[in-house]
Amino acid sequence: MKVWYSEISFSTRRRSEVVDLTDQILQEVRKSGIRNGLLVVNLPHATACLTLNEGESGVKNDLLRKLDELVPPSGNYEHDRIDDNAHAHLKSSLVGTCRVLPVVEGRVVRGTWQNFLVVEEDGPRTRRLSILLMGE
Ligand code: ZN
């Protein structure tokens, strides 16, 4: 079994935004040469999220708006005593930061409308995304 690892570095430009990293991730999968196995994508951050969904502007905006409704940027958060980003920590925990997908015959098995979307909630900043492939 082969194991392949890489990281994608990227910058966000706003306090909150959705960044579509699908093309970069699929490029890493091709570079790995692994045609059958598992793809593990992990966002090693506590104030951003990783989800799979349609990379359409309306969906991106709806996602940001609904997350703000569920976890308003301002609230009676304990963490805001030392930092002003408690809402971003909570959103990251609710949505998650890691996805695992099968790779079959060189293709990542995913739905037509399942793009890899990073939800920034504490930008702008430089982020990284880790990519692990295991297989043959
Ligand atoms: Zn914090």
Side-chain angles (χ1 to χ4, degrees):
M1 185 185 70
K2 186 176 169 187
V3 176
W4 194 86
Y5 180 79
S6 76
E7 292 187 356
I8 294 171
S9 180
F10 62 100
S11 296
T12 58
R13 290 164 295 158
R14 287 189 285 278
R15 172 86 187 205
S16 74
E17 68 176 302
V18 177
V19 181
D20 190 332
L21 291 176
T22 306
D23 290 344
Q24 292 93 320
I25 291 168
L26 296 182
Q27 191 178 359
E28 295 301 312
V29 173
R30 282 192 293 275
K31 272 200 261 176
S32 77
I34 290 176
R35 295 192 43 81
N36 292 288
L38 285 178
L39 165 67
V40 181
V41 182
N42 185 49
L43 182 70
H45 298 284
T47 56
C49 327
L50 175 66
T51 188
L52 290 167
N53 218 304
E54 185 173 354
E56 185 269 332
S57 62
V59 171
K60 291 176 178 177
N61 291 333
D62 289 341
L63 191 53
L64 292 172
R65 199 168 59 234
K66 184 51 74 175
L67 284 171
D68 274 351
E69 281 176 26
L70 294 170
V71 186
S74 296
N76 189 24
Y77 304 120
E78 275 194 48
H79 181 64
D80 283 347
R81 287 179 308 184
I82 58 165
D83 213 351
D84 67 345
N85 60 2
H87 71 101
H89 287 277
L90 295 172
K91 289 167 183 166
S92 179
S93 289
L94 288 172
V95 175
T97 59
C98 186
R99 304 287 156 165
V100 179
L101 289 94
V103 178
V104 178
E105 300 301 333
R107 299 179 68 89
V108 176
V109 181
R110 62 191 177 102
T112 305
W113 310 114
Q114 284 188 307
N115 281 12
F116 292 89
L117 305 179
V118 169
V119 184
E120 174 63 83
E121 287 292 345
D122 194 29
R125 61 173 65 204
T126 300
R127 300 281 194 186
R128 64 196 171 97
L129 187 72
S130 73
I131 296 170
L132 180 80
L133 282 126
M134 294 179 295
E136 307 176 320

